Amino acid sequence: MELKEAVLSRRTIRAYEKTEIKESDVKEIIAFAQNAPSWKNSQTGRYYAALSEEKITAVKNALPAFNQERSLNAVYIVVSFKKRISGFDTQNDTAANECGDEWGAYDLGLQNMLLMLKARELGLDTLIMGLRDSQAIKKAVSIPEDEEVMAVIALGKRAQNPDMPPRKNLDEILSIQ
């Protein structure tokens, strides 16, 4: 699959077929995501793949009911980043600018876009869920306190083929000066 096809066929999927997601596919997806740039090559993104029924249930139980329903039959990848590294002068633990830890979230977003595109290339799809019980998720998949949980990504084979939602007109988002 070409990059353009992966980008244009990627959708937020809210219904998944019951199918096995292979550990080797998850590893390939995450290894690809590692190619994203990060602040001073800090690579602070972390991934916790819930593939066993026990871990899938634990993560699912930390999601609101509507996201539990939308992610049935999927596995979960919990995404986090190590705090106070990206966007920081680590010698004196001070933020390099007003964004501070937001740089860690920015870096993780870049990684997650690559994750979604690689998943699509492999015939899998995703749903990024930001509403979650962070503390329950940290406990479920053993995330250390020095990491910030950003989202849970459902990963699976789509059971629907939604149309691409409309995009804003370029004039609404671009200012050429």
Side-chain angles (χ1 to χ4, degrees):
M1 178 180 296
E2 295 290 322
L3 176 62
K4 183 176 181 178
E5 183 183 351
V7 170
L8 295 179
S9 68
R10 187 213 60 80
R11 299 285 180 279
T12 296
I13 299 299
R14 294 178 177 89
Y16 295 89
E17 293 180 6
K18 187 149 185 71
T19 186
E20 180 187 355
I21 304 301
K22 296 183 281 187
E23 183 178 323
S24 60
D25 285 343
V26 172
K27 286 180 176 181
E28 184 176 350
I29 289 166
I30 302 307
F32 187 77
Q34 285 183 289
N35 290 295
S38 63
W39 178 282
K40 296 185 180 180
N41 197 32
S42 56
Q43 301 179 50
T44 62
R46 298 293 184 268
Y47 295 88
Y48 299 84
L51 303 182
S52 70
E53 285 303 319
E54 174 191 359
K55 293 299 181 180
I56 290 169
T57 299
V59 172
K60 181 170 46 175
N61 288 339
L63 299 172
F66 62 89
N67 275 338
Q68 290 181 29
E69 184 68 29
R70 292 173 179 170
S71 61
L72 284 177
N73 300 321
V75 300
Y76 297 112
I77 300 174
V78 178
V79 298
S80 69
F81 68 89
K82 292 187 72 64
K83 298 186 274 190
R84 302 189 73 80
I85 296 173
S86 184
F88 280 79
D89 176 349
T90 54
Q91 299 297 323
N92 60 18
D93 194 35
T94 58
N97 65 24
E98 73 283 358
C99 293
D101 262 337
E102 292 172 31
W103 283 107
Y106 182 87
D107 290 351
L108 188 59
L110 294 170
Q111 282 185 277
N112 289 342
M113 188 68 235
L114 291 182
L115 179 155
M116 291 185 291
L117 292 175
K118 186 63 176 179
R120 186 70 201 118
E121 181 184 62
L122 296 177
L124 300 171
D125 290 283
T126 55
L127 168 63
I128 295 182
M129 299 171 282
L131 299 176
R132 72 285 185 270
D133 179 338
S134 181
Q135 289 306 312
I137 288 173
K138 280 185 169 192
K139 183 177 179 185
V141 293
S142 303
I143 298 175
E145 283 303 313
D146 69 338
E147 293 180 29
E148 185 74 44
V149 173
M150 289 303 300
V152 176
I153 301 176
L155 175 70
K157 187 151 182 69
R158 68 172 64 179
Q160 58 179 210
N161 197 20
D163 292 331
M164 178 182 270
R167 297 296 184 226
K168 291 184 178 185
N169 184 300
L170 196 56
D171 294 335
E172 293 179 68
I173 65 164
L174 174 63
S175 173
I176 297 178
Q177 302 178 16

